[in-house]
Amino acid sequence: SQTIHQWPATLVQPVGSPLSLECTVEGTSNPNLYWYRQAAGRGLQLLFYSVGIGQISSEVPQNLSASRPQDRQFILSSKKLLLSDSGFYLCAWSVLVTSPNGVMSEQFFGPGTRLTVL
Amino acid sequence: AQKVTQAQTEISVVEKEDVTLDCVYETRDTTYYLFWYKQPPSGELVFLIRRNSFDEQNEISGRYSWNFQKSTSSFNFTITASQVVDSAVYFCALSEALLDAGNMLTFGGGTRLMVKP
């Protein structure tokens, strides 16, 4: 079965410090991978998605970046954190499934990393 | 552009009451997919259901049921006989194409459901 890991689970960082959040997926090959951010009390915002190694698409311009050095590894980084970067970061992956209604797709989410920038 | 609106930011009910969470979406595509996710206090998003735009049949799974109406662009979620464990934030989401094509989910703002004993 497939599993998605994220670490660290929680992180407290000072403003201006660097950031590296890691996400890995097990049990599947060539998944689409996604990074979302959820600010306190708000909905989810897609930050980046990747359809393959080295392929990154950015949805929101900001001081964050993403990389996919391996098929099942997705990294979210920043050189200098801002206060506004605080939030709950979720990694997700997607796969096609066949159902009586045809071919569909669903997205599975990791446990998340809660980042507090002070 | 696609958009998902969950007008109810917070709902509070007493255990055993029925509750309906509203979801209204906007899309220009004729093929799209709708989803509901549950986010308990632990934070992890739990997939509940997906529905494609060609299947308007309503679905029931235990105490959960979903009412998809293309005429009103709505995909509402009803919990029957609510329980304290149902307390969570619920997100409705839309995708205009297969996720595996690289397209992403557009989420609504979420509805926080509080079920009191």
Side-chain angles (χ1 to χ4, degrees):
Chain A
S1 62
Q2 300 89 353
T3 308
I4 180 168
H5 302 281
Q6 281 187 251
W7 64 89
T10 60
L11 189 61
V12 180
Q13 291 284 97
V15 170
S17 65
L19 173 74
S20 181
L21 303 181
E22 190 162 343
C23 169
T24 58
V25 181
E26 296 177 358
T28 186
S29 296
N30 196 31
N32 278 9
L33 297 173
Y34 308 81
W35 276 112
Y36 291 86
R37 177 171 61 198
Q38 184 179 27
R42 303 184 67 179
L44 289 100
Q45 178 187 41
L46 179 69
L47 302 176
F48 302 94
Y49 71 91
S50 170
V51 299
I53 296 175
Q55 302 177 61
I56 308 294
S57 297
S58 174
E59 292 300 305
V60 181
Q62 55 205 318
N63 67 320
L64 299 173
S65 62
S67 62
R68 185 169 178 175
Q70 300 180 42
D71 180 44
R72 289 170 287 182
Q73 184 184 30
F74 205 23
I75 298 172
L76 183 70
S77 304
S78 175
K79 293 182 179 178
K80 287 186 177 182
L81 283 169
L82 306 173
L83 287 174
S84 57
D85 291 325
S86 292
F88 190 54
Y89 288 81
L90 286 158
C91 180
W93 67 281
S94 70
V95 67
L96 283 172
V97 294
T98 302
S99 73
N101 297 320
V103 180
M104 307 180 94
S105 186
E106 60 191 47
Q107 209 165 87
F108 300 93
F109 287 81
T113 295
R114 195 165 300 279
L115 171 66
T116 303
V117 182
L118 302 175
Chain B
Q2 50 193 352
K3 182 180 179 182
V4 178
T5 302
Q6 294 179 255
Q8 306 149 307
T9 56
E10 205 167 282
I11 300 176
S12 182
V13 300
V14 177
E15 206 170 19
K16 296 185 181 178
E17 284 185 11
D18 298 347
V19 58
T20 296
L21 309 181
D22 297 333
C23 173
V24 175
Y25 60 91
E26 295 177 26
T27 178
R28 293 173 296 185
D29 212 330
T30 55
T31 302
Y32 52 90
Y33 302 83
L34 295 162
F35 304 79
W36 274 96
Y37 285 87
K38 175 182 179 180
Q39 186 179 40
S42 62
E44 185 171 351
L45 278 173
V46 178
F47 167 80
L48 295 178
I49 190 174
R50 65 175 173 272
R51 176 65 48 161
N52 72 38
S53 54
F54 299 111
D55 183 3
E56 290 192 70
Q57 187 174 5
N58 292 326
E59 185 162 336
I60 298 174
S61 176
R63 296 185 297 108
Y64 294 171
S65 63
W66 291 269
N67 182 6
F68 176 33
Q69 292 197 355
K70 288 181 74 172
S71 60
T72 56
S73 297
S74 65
F75 187 43
N76 297 337
F77 173 32
T78 298
I79 301 175
T80 303
S82 60
Q83 299 176 2
V84 173
V85 293
D86 294 328
S87 297
V89 179
Y90 291 85
F91 290 97
C92 180
L94 165 72
S95 172
E96 285 184 332
L98 286 175
L99 290 174
D100 210 64
N103 286 331
M104 68 297 294
L105 292 172
T106 297
F107 282 87
T111 297
R112 181 178 299 279
L113 173 64
M114 292 176 289
V115 181
K116 300 178 181 178

